[in-house]
Each structure stands twice: as C-alpha cells, then as structure tokens.
Amino acid sequence: MPKVTINGKEYDTEKLPKEAVDLINSILFVENELRKLQNQIKIYNAAKTLYSQRLQSVISKLPQEEK
C-alpha cells in the first residue's frame, strides 16, 4: 500500500507513522466487512422474496374452505 488519498490529499504510507498505517488498515478491513454484510443482506432478501412467492403459490392452491 504505497500511497493513499485522505481528504483529497495523497500520502506515501511508507512515510506515515505506524499508528496511521494501522488505522488505514483497520478502515480497509471494516469497509471489506461492510461489503460482505451488504452482500449477505442481498442474499437474505432474495431468499425471503423467493420463500414469500412460494408460500403464495402454496396458499393459492388450497381449497377455498381452508383459506
């Protein structure tokens, strides 16, 4: 990670203090984890939609007196 842009200014990470580099790495880690969670939410929402559609299909086939 030789260079990073923070607030529109480019920094050479090799010249930054270790604490700054550690914080940058922490931010990158959290951003990656957030992306994973957002993808999981998309998957869960798609599954919920599919289950709801299948439930509607099953219910629509019930005899009228069972509805």
Side-chain angles (χ1 to χ4, degrees), residues 5-52:
T5 302
I6 302 170
N7 296 329
K9 186 173 178 186
E10 193 173 89
Y11 295 90
D12 183 349
T13 56
E14 294 176 9
K15 294 180 181 176
L16 291 175
K18 180 182 180 327
E19 181 180 13
V21 174
D22 290 345
L23 289 166
I24 291 167
N25 287 329
S26 293
I27 291 168
L28 293 173
F29 172 79
V30 169
E31 286 177 342
N32 187 50
E33 293 301 306
L34 284 169
R35 260 190 303 282
K36 287 180 189 178
L37 289 171
Q38 289 165 344
N39 287 334
Q40 286 182 333
I41 288 170
K42 289 177 187 176
I43 291 167
Y44 295 141
N45 280 327
K48 179 184 171 189
T49 299
L50 177 63
Y51 296 146
S52 295

